Amino acid sequence: MIAAASEPDAAAERQAQLLRGCLDMCLLALLAGEPAHGYELVRRLETAGFGTVGYGTVYPLITRLHRLGLIANASQPSPTGPPRKVYRLTDTGHERLLAWREQWVQFAGVVNATLAVHPSPPPGDDHEHVDAGR
């Protein structure tokens, strides 16, 4: 998992918030490498380090990306059961991924710079410091 905190519930909620902001972009990036079906996308997200991302999160997002014309699907025979949908990026999807990637790099740079300038106080140092010389 990407984020960790001392309070598991708070860490899980923070992780969910961060994921909501970038999961569509990450799905496009995973599909840019190779087409995949939904189960495979969930597995790739877990392998990439996102932890467990449920089908109830991924499939509605796939539907939205398809409706926006960013991904297309084709039916492919399954070795065990009914045919499955395999998703791939469209040309528009590739263009959007490039734009989102640039936007993300810029945004992450701003966040990283902000975190570097304003380090966290040491643990247990919850009170506000006052400069006595002012």
Side-chain angles (χ1 to χ4, degrees):
M1 181 162 290
I2 295 173
S6 58
E7 300 175 29
D9 290 343
E13 177 57 30
R14 183 71 185 147
Q15 179 72 16
Q17 289 175 1
L18 291 170
L19 191 57
R20 273 191 288 275
C22 65
L23 187 57
D24 53 359
M25 176 178 58
C26 292
L27 284 177
L28 292 183
L30 292 172
L31 288 171
E34 183 180 0
H37 52 82
Y39 174 81
E40 175 65 17
L41 284 172
V42 169
R43 191 191 66 72
R44 288 182 192 176
L45 287 167
E46 188 169 353
T47 300
F50 286 99
T52 302
V53 180
Y55 299 103
T57 299
V58 171
Y59 280 104
L61 187 51
I62 288 172
T63 300
R64 186 170 70 83
L65 294 171
H66 183 264
R67 191 173 55 247
L68 292 171
L70 304 179
I71 63 174
N73 64 51
S75 188
Q76 181 183 70
S78 172
T80 58
R84 56 187 172 194
K85 289 182 181 178
V86 175
Y87 303 94
R88 65 167 180 79
L89 249 59
T90 62
D91 290 343
T92 303
H94 281 284
E95 292 169 7
R96 185 73 53 92
L97 176 58
L98 286 173
W100 285 353
R101 186 177 283 143
E102 289 176 18
Q103 185 181 29
W104 177 261
V105 168
Q106 181 181 7
F107 178 75
V110 170
V111 171
N112 288 335
T114 302
L115 292 174
V117 171
H118 303 288
S120 300
D125 191 10
D126 292 338
H127 63 282
E128 188 174 319
H129 293 279
V130 177
D131 186 356
R134 289 190 169 184

